[in-house]
Amino acid sequence: MKIFYLEKKIKYKFINKRILILSLTHRSYSNIHNERLEFLGDSILNFIITKKIYYQFSNKKEGFMTRIRANLVNKNNLFKIAQNIKLNKYILLGQGEIKMLGQYKISILANTLEAIIGAIFIDSKNIKIVEKIVKKLFFNYKNNKKILNKKNNHKDYKTILQEYLQKIKLPLPKYYISEKKGKEHKQIFVVKCKTKIINKIFKGIGYSKKEAEQKSAKQTLIKIGLIKSKINAKKK
């Protein structure tokens, strides 16, 4: 079966091929599916990433390390890594999900990647083997190298806005999706950010809810003067 070509991509050969197949089986395909493996893989991935961050940033506080981990294990990042190994070619989906192009959905690809990590642990019974594979998949990925570069580990826009509002004792910002555009497998989200600090709502547009939220938070920060826009910076 073609799914076994995936072993070459992840650099691991399964002893029990049924575990590999199970990790690739979406609930739309069968009543016996990969969600338990996904649950396990999520925990293992968080452990391995946390361990890496803990030792690499030995002088950093918990909040900093939490942000780095969130940037590495969020669904969008998992989706990009899944794309790198062309995981969409190997997922087992029901006909209804195939018609909806489920093999390109961020959530399905990200969840399946976690299931594979869980499956490798069950098959190998060796956390060090899983750790070695995760390091190859995650830390050789160009974007993750940037995240792990100390110079690039600044707070994200949502965090900056939230911490500022807490500091001046105002309610936290509210984000809500005002519009969705495009096909389901490649939707564009329009998110609006509402705060008590300014009588105006700012919107952000992105290929995920999280990206759009960050952009709307950024526009709010620019307006209240906490950060500068690139346009204004160039003028100076």
Side-chain angles (χ1 to χ4, degrees):
M1 295 174 68
K2 68 174 184 178
I3 59 173
F4 298 136
Y5 288 110
L6 181 61
E7 292 178 315
K8 293 182 180 179
K9 294 181 181 292
I10 62 176
K11 304 284 192 280
Y12 178 76
K13 190 171 183 179
F14 278 80
I15 299 166
N16 185 345
K17 305 298 184 185
R18 290 182 180 179
I19 296 176
L20 170 59
I21 295 169
L22 179 61
S23 72
L24 297 165
T25 304
H26 187 257
R27 65 184 308 165
S28 64
Y29 186 86
S30 171
N31 290 329
I32 302 172
H33 49 72
N34 64 6
E35 288 184 3
R36 282 174 55 83
L37 286 173
E38 176 199 331
F39 172 79
L40 177 62
D42 175 62
S43 298
I44 292 170
L45 180 60
N46 271 281
F47 164 71
I48 293 170
I49 297 295
T50 300
K51 181 181 173 184
K52 166 75 174 176
I53 294 166
Y54 180 82
Y55 286 110
Q56 181 164 337
F57 301 106
S58 57
N59 63 335
K60 295 294 184 180
K61 293 182 179 179
E62 181 186 357
F64 175 91
M65 294 189 293
T66 299
R67 287 193 297 273
I68 301 304
R69 183 177 61 190
N71 287 331
L72 289 170
V73 300
N74 66 71
K75 294 296 182 185
N76 287 320
N77 200 42
L78 293 175
F79 169 68
K80 289 172 184 175
I81 292 167
Q83 283 183 312
N84 281 349
I85 60 173
K86 296 181 170 55
L87 190 54
N88 62 289
K89 292 184 176 181
Y90 308 103
I91 298 174
L92 300 174
L93 298 170
Q95 287 302 312
E97 196 63 61
I98 289 172
K99 288 178 182 177
M100 294 173 66
L101 299 176
Q103 66 270 36
Y104 299 108
K105 288 182 181 177
I106 292 174
S107 60
I108 290 179
L109 282 165
N111 293 344
T112 304
L113 182 61
E114 289 177 334
I116 290 171
I117 291 168
I120 293 170
F121 177 71
I122 293 294
D123 189 67
S124 67
K125 300 179 179 64
N126 190 329
I127 191 64
K128 289 185 177 180
I129 289 175
V130 186
E131 195 169 351
K132 185 178 178 181
I133 291 164
V134 167
K135 284 180 178 179
K136 285 180 180 178
L137 286 174
F138 278 76
F139 305 134
N140 288 337
Y141 177 46
K142 188 177 179 181
N143 186 58
N144 288 351
K145 287 181 179 179
K146 290 181 180 179
I147 292 171
L148 287 166
N149 181 337
K150 291 182 183 181
K151 294 179 181 179
N152 291 311
N153 284 320
H154 303 300
K155 293 180 183 179
D156 61 73
Y157 297 118
K158 284 182 67 178
T159 302
I160 295 171
L161 181 58
Q162 178 177 314
E163 290 181 353
Y164 179 70
L165 292 175
Q166 287 175 323
K167 185 178 179 181
I168 61 175
K169 302 191 184 310
L170 283 178
L172 296 180
K174 292 183 179 179
Y175 300 92
Y176 56 93
I177 298 171
S178 64
E179 192 178 352
K180 287 182 184 179
K181 304 176 182 178
K183 295 180 180 179
E184 189 170 353
H185 71 288
K186 199 173 183 181
Q187 283 188 327
I188 295 174
F189 293 82
V190 180
V191 169
K192 291 185 177 180
C193 174
K194 185 179 181 181
T195 65
K196 293 287 186 180
I197 195 172
I198 189 168
N199 190 26
K200 189 176 180 181
I201 296 173
F202 295 92
K203 71 177 181 179
I205 301 171
Y207 286 106
S208 69
K209 180 173 173 281
K210 182 177 178 180
E211 182 186 357
E213 286 177 346
Q214 288 290 345
K215 288 183 177 179
S216 64
K218 181 181 180 181
Q219 292 306 313
T220 306
L221 290 167
I222 290 171
K223 188 64 180 179
I224 63 180
L226 281 181
I227 64 172
K228 295 178 181 178
S229 70
K230 289 183 178 180
I231 296 172
N232 291 336
K234 286 179 180 179
K235 285 181 180 179
K236 291 182 179 181

